[in-house]
Amino acid sequence: QVQLVESGGGSVQAGGSLKLSCATSGSIFGINVMGWYRQAPGKQRYVVATITSSGVPNYIDSVKGRFTISRDNAKNTVVLQMNSLKPEDTAVYYCYAQLRPSYSRQYDAWGQGTQVTVSA
């Protein structure tokens, strides 16, 4: 079963930038929505940004104007560019995608998670 593989993340000072990338582990018939979630210690995982198959992005209010989500349908990748990072952005970030192995089937896939740490 095709899964998602993340790269990027790391540690940065407040005001800095990081880029997260995510790709499928193999070929797939199609991909519906893709996105990024995050989970801070002791808190629930929640969505940060999503992007439809036609490229329409959506963001939570706290990251609007700072984060940019994009996707490459030919390469089956999604990228989250994070600028002006704040300490409250510190979390484990997870890539998400609704994968379609065939025209009529779909399933939810998650990346392994990558740590983003922003120091004050």
Side-chain angles (χ1 to χ4, degrees):
Q1 193 172 26
V2 173
Q3 295 297 324
L4 301 175
V5 180
E6 300 177 27
S7 60
S11 297
V12 67
Q13 289 189 327
S17 298
L18 287 172
K19 184 172 77 171
L20 306 180
S21 300
C22 176
T24 59
S25 59
S27 62
I28 194 80
F29 174 78
I31 304 176
N32 294 334
V33 64
M34 304 185 81
W36 291 91
Y37 286 64
R38 68 187 180 189
Q39 185 171 20
K43 298 190 177 182
Q44 288 189 331
R45 187 181 304 185
Y46 63 93
V47 65
V48 174
T50 60
I51 186 166
T52 67
S53 57
S54 57
V56 178
N58 193 34
Y59 305 92
I60 57 172
D61 287 344
S62 61
V63 307
K64 284 181 180 177
R66 300 189 298 121
F67 291 11
T68 301
I69 188 170
S70 60
R71 65 188 284 173
D72 185 328
N73 289 336
K75 297 180 179 179
N76 292 335
T77 59
V78 62
V79 170
L80 186 68
Q81 177 66 45
M82 304 183 292
N83 299 327
S84 302
L85 281 160
K86 303 176 180 180
E88 51 263 43
D89 294 319
T90 295
V92 177
Y93 283 70
Y94 296 89
C95 174
Y96 163 82
Q98 190 175 67
L99 302 182
R100 296 173 60 198
S102 66
Y103 180 81
S104 59
R105 290 181 56 223
Q106 61 189 31
Y107 63 92
D108 294 334
W110 293 90
Q112 75 277 18
T114 186
Q115 178 69 46
V116 170
T117 302
V118 185
S119 57

